[in-house]
Amino acid sequence: MTLELFFQAYLYAWVTWMTLTLGCTGLLYLHHAVRGKWSLVILRTLEAGAKQLGPMFILGIPVVVSVWMGEHSIYPWLTTMKNHPQVVAKAAYLNPARFTAFYVAYFVIWGLLARTLTKSAARQDKTFDERESQMRSTLGAWSMVIFILTMTFAWVDWVMSLDPTWSSTMFPAWFMMGGCLMALSLAAIILTSRMKQEPWKTAAEGEVLKDIGNMLLTLTMVWAYFSLSQFLIMWSANIPEEVKYYQNRFNIPALNVVGGILIAFQWLLPFLALLAPRTKKMPALLQKVAILILIMRFVDMFWTVVPFFMTPGKGIDTTTVLLNIGVMVVLGLAWMYQFREALKHSSPLPTHDIRLEEALSHVQS
């Protein structure tokens, strides 16, 4: 195993867990912007996920280090393609100093916004000051705008620049939607596993579980729409610099099988299952669908990121796959440990919202 292979596997694992972290962060911003009732019961999960921005910043340092490795970097704009005309034209953007500065800026911005919103919600749990809610609604709306802009640059830096001659305006949005789907699936799994316990049992009564199921259905449909739209736009234009993204994947036989699995189990089966009202009424069924979606999100991240490092026409090397899985598991254990600790040290449910107060007081009485 070479150092380059390790860094490639590390990037895939880090980007995947970073996608989940940013999915939680984006849904946290959305919750406070719209003050939705359905998201109140999963707010602590979203907050715990957003708190992983700090650990993920540290875990992402090897990715930054790889940019400074020069000829040994995993980014081709520093190695085999550094003299390509398009890369030379983008030199002001594709350079280690800019990459590092933006990396730090992303986490500072995301972390400050998430921390401000979380601290405000915690204060209101104690003071019940309604002005906190209004402040979070305003800040949440601005946070969504800032989040979308910074996310776009982040995914260009971390993933799209793995092929500096290829570009897609839908690629960052695709990642963002996949992250939200990933985060909501995790939140649904945690909520449905607690449905037999109070206060979650009472708080999630009525339409809340149905709302979460509908949101899963919506995100599944939007993810599929973005996936199909990107493919159709590139197929219809038929520009060599654009279609190579799909050509490189279609020319690897095993990835065609993976693509078929994703169509069947990340879109078709969850879509059909979530259309049924029964699925959204029964916690056990909804949990099974959420688990399937979450597993498929990891497979989808493999299909999206890893082929950038593969040679078209060749099969998938077993050693490379095992290395990717191994690094993914190690980073995942670190992420889940920190996530569990964050959940453990937070209150079960927020109490600042009048829509939960009556249910919680009923449980306590």
Side-chain angles (χ1 to χ4, degrees):
M1 181 188 73
T2 65
L3 187 62
E4 184 180 7
L5 285 176
F6 170 77
F7 274 107
Q8 290 173 358
Y10 193 92
L11 178 69
Y12 158 63
W14 180 81
V15 163
T16 301
W17 289 105
M18 193 67 218
T19 301
L20 176 56
T21 303
L22 290 177
C24 291
T25 305
L27 289 179
L28 175 66
Y29 297 157
L30 179 65
H31 163 79
H32 290 298
V34 302
R35 289 197 261 187
K37 181 180 179 180
W38 66 271
S39 50
L40 279 169
V41 292
I42 61 171
L43 181 59
R44 295 304 184 226
T45 299
L46 301 180
E47 289 175 346
K51 287 177 182 178
Q52 303 318 303
L53 285 167
M56 290 307 294
F57 173 83
I58 296 173
L59 290 174
I61 291 176
V63 177
V64 178
V65 170
S66 73
V67 176
W68 291 90
M69 292 171 62
E71 293 292 338
H72 300 287
S73 174
I74 58 175
Y75 287 95
W77 44 272
L78 289 165
T79 56
T80 56
M81 302 182 70
K82 65 179 180 181
N83 295 320
H84 192 283
Q86 290 189 38
V87 175
V88 173
K90 301 173 184 176
Y93 190 87
L94 296 177
N95 62 79
R98 199 279 319 161
F99 186 101
T100 305
F102 274 44
Y103 177 85
V104 174
Y106 298 145
F107 281 91
V108 170
I109 293 170
W110 296 331
L112 283 176
L113 292 173
R115 182 178 177 83
T116 301
L117 292 169
T118 301
K119 289 288 186 182
S120 172
R123 282 196 304 270
Q124 192 176 1
D125 280 348
K126 297 177 181 179
T127 65
F128 292 93
D129 185 351
E130 187 58 30
R131 290 174 298 180
E132 295 282 359
S133 292
Q134 187 57 53
M135 184 277 289
R136 290 198 305 277
S137 182
T138 302
L139 181 59
W142 280 106
S143 297
M144 287 299 299
V145 175
I146 296 169
F147 181 68
I148 291 171
L149 290 173
T150 51
M151 275 271 290
T152 299
F153 282 96
W155 293 126
V156 169
D157 288 353
W158 301 338
V159 182
M160 193 187 295
S161 70
L162 289 170
D163 185 349
T165 62
W166 175 77
S167 63
S168 167
T169 54
M170 298 204 68
F171 196 70
W174 191 23
F175 260 94
M176 180 169 60
M177 194 54 56
C180 291
L181 180 58
M182 202 174 187
L184 188 58
S185 299
L186 176 64
I189 293 168
I190 293 174
L191 176 64
T192 51
S193 67
R194 293 171 164 178
M195 286 291 289
K196 294 182 179 180
Q197 308 170 31
E198 295 291 2
W200 297 281
K201 180 180 179 180
T202 302
E205 283 181 348
E207 298 293 309
V208 174
L209 203 63
K210 178 182 176 182
D211 291 340
I212 291 178
N214 285 334
M215 278 298 296
L216 275 174
L217 174 61
T218 301
L219 292 176
T220 298
M221 292 171 62
V222 175
W223 172 85
Y225 170 76
F226 282 176
S227 301
L228 181 60
S229 296
Q230 178 175 260
F231 175 77
L232 288 178
I233 289 170
M234 293 184 178
W235 176 80
S236 60
N238 200 25
I239 300 173
E241 290 80 4
E242 293 182 354
V243 299
K244 63 179 180 178
Y245 174 85
Y246 290 102
Q247 285 180 329
N248 291 346
R249 285 154 178 78
F250 293 161
N251 289 332
I252 300 175
L255 289 182
N256 287 320
V257 176
V258 174
I261 291 172
L262 289 171
I263 293 172
F265 296 103
Q266 183 165 316
W267 170 65
L268 184 59
L269 185 57
F271 172 72
L272 294 175
L274 291 169
L275 277 179
R278 183 168 177 264
T279 304
K280 291 168 281 191
K281 289 181 180 178
M282 301 182 64
L285 279 179
L286 185 62
Q287 185 181 71
K288 287 181 175 65
V289 175
I291 291 172
L292 175 63
I293 293 174
L294 186 60
I295 293 173
M296 287 298 103
R297 287 299 307 135
F298 283 89
V299 178
D300 183 44
M301 292 299 296
F302 182 92
W303 191 91
T304 303
V305 178
V306 176
F308 279 109
F309 306 119
M310 293 181 176
T311 303
K314 292 186 177 181
I316 300 178
D317 180 53
T318 304
T319 303
T320 302
V321 173
L322 292 176
L323 177 62
N324 278 274
I325 294 174
V327 178
M328 173 69 70
V329 170
V330 172
L331 262 64
L333 290 174
W335 195 95
M336 292 304 297
Y337 173 78
Q338 294 294 331
F339 175 78
R340 181 174 174 273
E341 289 298 305
L343 271 182
K344 187 193 302 183
H345 292 95
S346 62
S347 59
L349 291 170
T351 55
H352 59 261
D353 196 293
I354 189 77
R355 293 168 293 183
L356 275 182
E357 284 182 44
E358 293 182 4
L360 292 176
S361 63
H362 171 73
V363 173
Q364 292 167 356
S365 62

